[in-house]
């Protein structure tokens, strides 16, 4: 690297600063330095690609200059500097392609007819933090402001229909011979093991609640499990954002498996 021209080294420095920039955008959101819209939408989604484009252009120019001028030393440094933003672009493109197949909703439950309800404590907390509203599962999502601009096929479907079509494997967990109290204890243990916070149980209501938080941005999702009618139903709802990229459904599946392992050791 010491033999590389200054522009090659400069391009590499810029490239190495890109991951740091995205990490700061995410962690700054997590620790409350700025709101999630600033961290995710402004810094990451809007400004991020611009910065990657600038770095990629600088690295490409540097690579061309190195290859055109003898003795052509430093081409590898310029190439590495170019591959960093290209790699990030490719990773984001892969995520975007996957997101295209995931419905843009953030409220998932195993019972779409009568979804598990949250306690008043959680409802108040969601209200205080201006979290996403909890919408009626039977109403077409196009009737809600968040999805008002959705295309006709999607806008005409309700949460219940979208969940059934997109996550057909999600289902309640039968209690079998397990007593409701034992099931509640198993749910609490499973939530604790999965790293949920604020785990609380209300045996009288047959309800266990917890909060899941993402590592980078610190996005919080509220989870509730309902023990009733011989089965356990689960619900996971994001506090912010439109699409959860499938995170809530994956979390429910993981929690269901963790509880099932305790009920049927």
């Amino acid at each position: 690297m010491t033999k590389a021209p200054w522009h090659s080294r400069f391009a590499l420095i810029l490239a190495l600063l890109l991951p740091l920039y995205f990490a700061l955008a995410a962690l700054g959101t997590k620790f409350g330095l700025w709101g999630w819209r600033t961290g995710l939408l402004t810094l990451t989604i809007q400004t991020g690609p611009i910065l990657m484009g600038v770095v990629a252009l600088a690295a490409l120019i540097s690579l061309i200059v190195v290859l055109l001028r003898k003795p052509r030393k430093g081409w590898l440094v310029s190439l590495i500097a170019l591959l960093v933003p290209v790699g990030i672009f490719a990773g984001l493109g892969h995520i975007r392609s996957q997101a295209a197949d995931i419905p843009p909703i953030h409220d998932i439950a195993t019972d779409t007819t009568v979804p598990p309800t949250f306690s008043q404590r959680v409802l108040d907390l969601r209200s205080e933090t201006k979290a996403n509203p909890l919408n009626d599962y039977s109403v077409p999502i196009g009737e809600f402001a968040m999805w008002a601009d959705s295309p006709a096929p999607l806008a005409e479907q309700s949460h219940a229909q979208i969940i059934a079509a997109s996550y057909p494997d999600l289902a309640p967990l039968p209690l079998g011979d397990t007593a409701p109290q034992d099931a509640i204890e198993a749910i609490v243990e499973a939530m604790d093991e999965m790293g949920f916070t604020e785990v609380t149980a209300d045996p009288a209501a047959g309800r266990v609640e917890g909060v899941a938080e993402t590592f980078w941005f610190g996005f919080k999702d509220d989870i509730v499990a309902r023990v009733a009618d011989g089965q356990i139903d689960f619900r996971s709802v994001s506090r912010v954002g439109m699409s959860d990229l499938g995170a809530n459904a994956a979390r429910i599946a993981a929690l269901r498996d963790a509880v099932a392992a305790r009920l049927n050791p």
Side-chain angles (χ1 to χ4, degrees):
M1 182 170 174
T2 57
K3 296 181 180 180
W6 70 269
H7 52 80
S8 296
R9 288 179 276 131
F10 181 67
L12 181 60
I13 291 173
L14 291 179
L16 295 179
L17 287 175
L18 275 178
L20 178 61
Y21 168 83
F22 284 108
L24 289 176
L27 294 178
T29 303
K30 180 174 184 175
F31 293 110
L33 298 182
W34 42 71
W36 73 270
R37 288 182 175 84
T38 297
L40 178 62
L41 302 181
T42 302
L43 297 179
T44 302
I45 295 178
Q46 296 176 4
T47 307
I50 296 175
L51 294 178
M52 288 189 291
V54 170
V55 173
L57 180 60
L60 179 60
I61 293 174
S62 174
L63 180 60
I64 293 174
V65 171
V66 169
L67 293 177
L68 291 178
R69 292 182 179 180
K70 294 181 180 181
R72 301 185 176 87
K73 292 183 178 180
W75 67 268
L76 182 58
V77 175
S78 298
L79 178 60
I80 293 174
L82 178 60
L83 291 177
V84 172
V86 169
I88 297 176
F89 266 123
L92 294 178
H94 177 67
I95 294 175
R96 186 170 183 175
S97 65
Q98 288 184 319
D101 298 326
I102 298 174
I105 59 175
H106 52 261
D107 184 349
I108 308 295
T110 55
D111 184 348
T112 57
T113 302
V114 184
T117 57
F118 291 98
S119 65
Q120 191 60 49
R121 176 188 65 83
V122 173
L123 295 177
D124 291 342
L125 179 61
R126 290 181 64 89
S127 178
E128 292 171 6
T129 57
K130 298 181 180 180
N132 291 325
L134 300 176
N135 299 314
D136 189 332
Y137 269 34
S138 65
V139 177
I141 65 172
E143 296 185 18
F144 301 114
M146 183 175 289
W147 296 278
D149 297 328
S150 299
L154 177 66
E156 295 169 355
Q157 299 179 64
S158 66
H159 271 79
Q161 292 171 320
I162 294 173
I163 293 171
S166 303
Y167 307 109
D169 294 334
L170 285 184
L173 177 62
L175 281 180
D177 296 330
T178 304
Q181 179 59 41
D182 293 336
I184 288 177
E185 293 177 0
I187 297 169
V188 171
E189 292 176 1
M191 286 189 175
D192 286 335
E193 182 184 74
M194 293 178 64
F196 295 177
T197 60
E198 303 176 42
V199 178
T200 58
D202 184 350
R207 178 169 52 214
V208 182
E209 295 169 309
V211 178
E213 181 176 337
T214 62
F215 175 80
W216 284 109
F217 285 92
F219 292 139
K220 292 183 178 181
D221 299 341
D222 292 303
I223 302 94
V224 58
R226 179 184 65 201
V227 180
D229 301 323
Q231 64 185 30
I232 305 174
D233 278 291
F234 304 89
R235 184 178 186 180
S236 184
V237 189
S238 302
R239 292 187 184 178
V240 299
M242 182 176 183
S243 174
D244 63 8
L245 299 180
N248 285 301
R251 181 180 299 113
I252 288 177
L255 178 58
R256 185 186 187 282
D257 289 343
V259 174
R262 286 168 169 77
L263 299 186
N264 303 289

